[in-house]
Amino acid sequence: MPLYFITGNKNKFNEVKSVLPDIEHLDMDLPEIQDVDAHKVVKAKLLSAFEHKKGEFIVEDTSLYLDCLNGLPGPLVKWFQKTIGIEGIADLAEKFGNDGALAKTVIGYAKNPEEIYFFEGAVSGTIVPPIGEHKFGWDPIFQPDGHTKTFAEMDDEERMSLKMRRIATLKLKEFLDI
């Protein structure tokens, strides 16, 4: 049975395919519940996928957890970006005087609706004023611990060991024993 990664983002698909070369791309619009628990968001997407197609599925959620907001926005980060922008997120961390953050990807793998597994990749860091080219999400405001550049300033080679999606996908690969 084919293994599908459901995403509309070609870059995300290519990153996962670099670890799981036999994976197939499925660009399907799935409803996304709003919850502060990324596992619930991912599980709901997986269960929805079974209503549309047969196969085994992978979906992911990449979240940003701010220490100053007790973990918000988490999976709700895209709504924060839409309303206050990355500048507003950086301003919040500065105003609260706590710039600690965690960037995390949760990958869900479903063999069937009853067998769902989760794999995580996480990187700790700090929130800084936007630096670097704004190509993807909140990359210009996230600076990983132990580094002097934001994700937006790093090239792919520099980010390779820090990519949360890649870390989670490697754990999935080990689980699948591919």
Side-chain angles (χ1 to χ4, degrees):
M1 189 167 296
L3 176 59
Y4 296 104
F5 178 35
I6 302 172
T7 181
N9 186 315
K10 291 275 189 193
N11 292 330
K12 287 181 181 182
F13 174 73
N14 289 334
E15 188 175 331
V16 170
K17 189 166 182 69
S18 73
V19 176
L20 299 170
D22 293 332
I23 198 163
E24 295 182 33
H25 185 215
L26 187 56
D27 187 354
M28 177 179 6
D29 227 3
L30 296 174
E32 185 170 316
I33 66 165
Q34 300 306 300
D35 199 295
V36 294
D37 183 344
H39 291 90
K40 289 181 181 178
V41 174
V42 168
K43 183 177 181 177
K45 284 186 194 178
L46 287 168
L47 292 174
S48 177
F50 284 105
E51 296 172 12
H52 302 283
K53 193 158 182 82
K54 291 185 180 190
E56 296 179 14
F57 302 107
I58 297 171
V59 299
E60 64 91 47
D61 182 83
T62 298
S63 304
L64 182 64
Y65 300 86
L66 303 181
D67 291 350
C68 69
L69 296 178
N70 294 323
L72 282 173
L76 305 173
V77 69
K78 73 178 175 183
W79 303 112
F80 275 57
Q81 286 176 240
K82 283 184 178 188
T83 56
I84 64 174
I86 61 171
E87 296 83 2
I89 295 171
D91 287 345
L92 282 172
E94 182 183 349
K95 287 176 182 168
F96 277 100
N98 184 347
D99 61 5
L102 181 71
K104 182 173 14 175
T105 296
V106 174
I107 289 181
Y109 160 68
K111 189 171 186 166
N112 57 58
E114 292 78 36
E115 289 183 78
I116 296 176
Y117 305 91
F118 300 99
F119 306 88
E120 296 182 8
V123 175
S124 296
T126 55
I127 300 299
V128 299
I131 306 169
E133 193 175 339
H134 190 176
K135 290 182 184 175
F136 185 75
W138 37 263
D139 282 0
I141 63 169
F142 185 80
Q143 183 176 317
D145 287 346
H147 296 268
T148 58
K149 296 178 180 179
T150 65
F151 275 168
E153 295 175 285
M154 294 179 182
D155 62 30
D156 280 342
E157 190 174 316
E158 288 175 289
R159 272 190 69 184
M160 190 57 67
S161 67
L162 300 171
K163 291 184 175 184
M164 299 86 58
R165 188 174 303 101
R166 182 173 177 78
I167 294 166
T169 305
L170 287 168
K171 290 177 182 179
L172 170 60
K173 180 179 180 177
E174 184 178 325
F175 174 81
L176 295 172
D177 198 28
I178 298 174

